Amino acid sequence: MQNKYSSYTYIFLLILGIIYFLSIGKDPALGDTLGFTIQGYYGFAFESNATNHFLFSNVLGLAHKILPFMNVHILFVSICIISGLLALFYLRKLLLLLEVSEKSSLMCIMLFGFSFTFWRQAVITEVYTFYLLFVILFLINVFKFLKEKEIKYFYYLSIFLGILFLIHIQTILFGPFYCFLLFKNFKLLKKHIIYGGLITLLLFSILLLPVALGRHSLVAIFTDNAYENSLFDYDPSTLFKSIMKNLGILGYNFLFFSVFIFLGVKNKKYLNYILFGALPFLFFCIKHNVSDVHVFQLVPYIFIIILIGQGLDRFPKIPLILPVILPIFYFASFKIVQKTSIGKNFEKEKGFKGGTRYMLFPPLNQNPDLNSLLKNYEKDSLYEKYGVKEMYPLIIQWEEIKKKNNY
């Protein structure tokens, strides 16, 4: 039985990889994706601020140095796709480690791989699939330590925690999880806490080198000033809207599979660790009420997927193929909504990105390229739209890169 589901896993990841590659857009998407692509094209980036993602940026730069003849847009998205597929591969190992059945583990990676947010992030040049890969490797070593009580896994998790800081400063939200781990296992770890902490601290200190060189301030490592209000202001109405928004995104990603979360909570084994891992990230998502908040949900989704897997185990007769309903649902949603007033509004407000298709369907392969955006830049006040005016110099820069390299 194990070999059967292992074979299915490889087949699924192969098919999913093909789907992902067919989903790649003609050009980098607006926003951080365009910035990362241009940054990676020009080489290594030594800033370590909250929006630069030190390790990810420099992996892109290294990849371009190794493969200078390849279209950087395709190269960089390929790195994100491969990171996403590896993340799903190791997610299954994490689920099996937590005693989720072979069948449910496979269903979970199908569910996560087809989910809107993960799919979309896998097919653009963004940090999140790369980050999730290392989050899952960190969690595998955490739960191996908890199960086997071998000190080597504590040192492994300390290394991965340090690496996570180099990828995304959001890692600081693992603080309560890490402290809870130390508290619950203090007797076993008391001789090793300092050494493990030093490993993490030494890796984190790499972020301080650009500060020492005067490239940016210390505060810039931890936050982007543009979003301070979303974190520290308290408005009950905004908070309620944010909760509803996040619940809506969760529902769109996992549909009726979300119900299995409540069944998974009944499994008390490691539940405290799951809650300490997920809740700080979920709280951050609610308080960080920005347009792209869905990307910050991906880390807590790992813990949510664990609960879904444990819930699915209570229904062993559920068809394995059921998660395939997600891409079908997304396609149907896009086609139906496109004909409504909501769809017309999407076309009006987001037409330059792909309109309704962009908002509700993960693939980007049929969305407008950046050259068409340039041609329509001043039409219908497009230049005044949020994000377009700021991106305009980068779009020009990307078009020059394309022309120079015959992309």
Side-chain angles (χ1 to χ4, degrees):
M1 189 65 70
Q2 183 174 352
N3 290 334
K4 169 185 165 183
Y5 287 113
S6 295
S7 300
Y8 289 168
T9 298
Y10 291 116
I11 293 169
F12 167 69
L13 292 176
L14 176 62
I15 294 171
L16 188 66
I18 294 170
I19 292 171
Y20 281 175
F21 276 103
L22 292 175
S23 300
I24 299 174
K26 303 177 187 73
D27 284 321
L30 291 174
D32 290 346
T33 294
L34 184 57
F36 281 133
T37 303
I38 293 174
Q39 184 182 71
Y41 173 80
Y42 285 112
F44 299 110
F46 296 103
E47 291 77 16
S48 60
N49 56 67
T51 57
N52 189 61
H53 312 304
F54 183 80
L55 186 58
F56 178 69
S57 296
N58 288 298
V59 165
L60 298 182
L62 178 62
H64 181 47
K65 293 291 184 185
I66 295 171
L67 299 169
F69 52 85
M70 190 170 176
N71 181 321
V72 290
H73 169 50
I74 302 300
L75 174 61
F76 295 163
V77 176
S78 297
I79 290 171
C80 296
I81 289 174
I82 292 168
S83 297
L85 295 175
L86 286 172
L88 294 173
F89 175 79
Y90 284 106
L91 176 58
R92 178 174 175 271
K93 289 187 175 294
L94 174 62
L95 291 165
L96 293 174
L97 180 66
L98 293 171
E99 299 172 9
V100 176
S101 71
E102 290 275 350
K103 179 184 175 183
S104 295
S105 295
L106 178 52
M107 288 182 71
C108 283
I109 69 167
M110 292 172 69
L111 179 64
F112 200 38
F114 281 136
S115 66
F116 180 92
T117 303
F118 188 86
W119 186 342
R120 174 60 61 81
Q121 294 303 303
V123 299
I124 61 175
T125 302
E126 253 291 10
V127 69
Y128 295 100
T129 55
F130 185 77
Y131 183 59
L132 283 182
L133 170 60
F134 286 90
V135 167
I136 292 166
L137 291 172
F138 165 67
L139 292 176
I140 284 174
N141 284 282
V142 167
F143 288 107
K144 277 189 175 180
F145 168 74
L146 293 175
K147 287 191 77 170
E148 301 178 21
K149 302 299 182 183
E150 291 191 27
I151 296 300
K152 66 178 181 180
Y153 293 118
F154 174 68
Y155 287 108
Y156 294 159
L157 72 88
S158 298
I159 292 169
F160 281 115
L161 185 60
I163 292 172
L164 286 174
F165 274 110
L166 300 181
I167 303 173
H168 203 304
I169 199 60
Q170 188 185 18
T171 302
I172 201 168
L173 296 172
F174 273 120
F177 179 80
Y178 184 69
C179 290
F180 183 70
L181 173 73
L182 298 182
F183 174 75
K184 293 291 286 185
N185 299 275
F186 182 76
K187 288 184 179 179
L188 183 59
L189 290 175
K190 60 183 178 181
K191 295 180 180 179
H192 304 274
I193 289 175
I194 293 176
Y195 300 114
L198 280 174
I199 290 171
T200 301
L201 186 61
L202 285 171
L203 286 166
F204 172 81
S205 66
I206 294 172
L207 297 179
L208 301 178
L209 295 178
V211 177
L213 294 172
R215 290 181 177 268
H216 54 71
S217 67
L218 179 64
V219 174
I221 294 177
F222 300 97
T223 185
D224 179 359
N225 291 335
Y227 298 125
E228 280 185 356
N229 289 340
S230 68
L231 285 172
F232 300 113
D233 281 0
Y234 177 75
D235 176 11
S237 175
T238 302
L239 197 64
F240 176 76
K241 290 177 183 177
S242 181
I243 290 171
M244 299 308 295
K245 177 182 178 180
N246 279 274
L247 287 174
I249 295 170
L250 173 68
Y252 197 68
N253 273 287
F254 299 133
L255 304 184
F256 57 84
F257 287 96
S258 303
V259 173
F260 291 98
I261 297 170
F262 302 102
L263 298 173
V265 169
K266 293 182 179 181
N267 187 332
K268 303 300 181 183
K269 191 173 184 180
Y270 302 126
L271 181 60
N272 288 340
Y273 287 95
I274 291 171
L275 294 177
F276 269 93
L279 289 178
F281 287 91
L282 292 173
F283 176 77
F284 178 82
C285 290
I286 292 169
K287 285 297 292 167
H288 195 57
N289 189 32
V290 293
S291 59
D292 61 347
V293 70
H294 60 283
V295 298
F296 299 110
Q297 294 180 347
L298 285 169
V299 172
Y301 281 175
I302 298 297
F303 297 99
I304 285 171
I305 281 289
I306 293 170
L307 295 176
I308 289 175
Q310 291 172 340
L312 283 170
D313 273 349
R314 295 174 177 269
F315 298 88
K317 292 185 179 181
I318 288 180
L320 176 64
I321 202 71
L322 196 56
V324 173
I325 197 172
L326 262 73
I328 297 170
F329 174 78
Y330 295 145
F331 183 76
S333 297
F334 142 58
K335 286 295 185 181
I336 293 169
V337 173
Q338 191 176 44
K339 299 176 182 178
T340 67
S341 58
I342 295 174
K344 290 176 183 177
N345 188 55
F346 282 156
E347 295 300 326
K348 182 180 178 181
E349 295 297 322
K350 302 292 183 180
F352 63 96
K353 288 186 175 182
T356 311
R357 183 184 179 91
Y358 172 83
M359 296 299 292
L360 298 175
F361 194 50
L364 297 170
N365 57 312
Q366 293 185 29
N367 289 357
D369 59 17
L370 293 180
N371 188 47
S372 65
L373 190 148
L374 284 177
K375 290 178 180 177
N376 294 288
Y377 180 62
E378 296 186 3
K379 183 179 179 182
D380 298 325
S381 302
L382 181 60
Y383 61 92
E384 294 179 352
K385 287 188 179 294
Y386 176 77
V388 178
K389 186 176 182 179
E390 294 80 358
M391 288 285 108
Y392 185 74
L394 290 179
I395 297 170
I396 296 293
Q397 203 171 352
W398 171 246
E399 289 299 317
E400 290 173 352
I401 290 171
K402 281 170 62 179
K403 185 176 180 180
K404 179 180 178 181
N405 294 277
N406 296 315
Y407 290 161

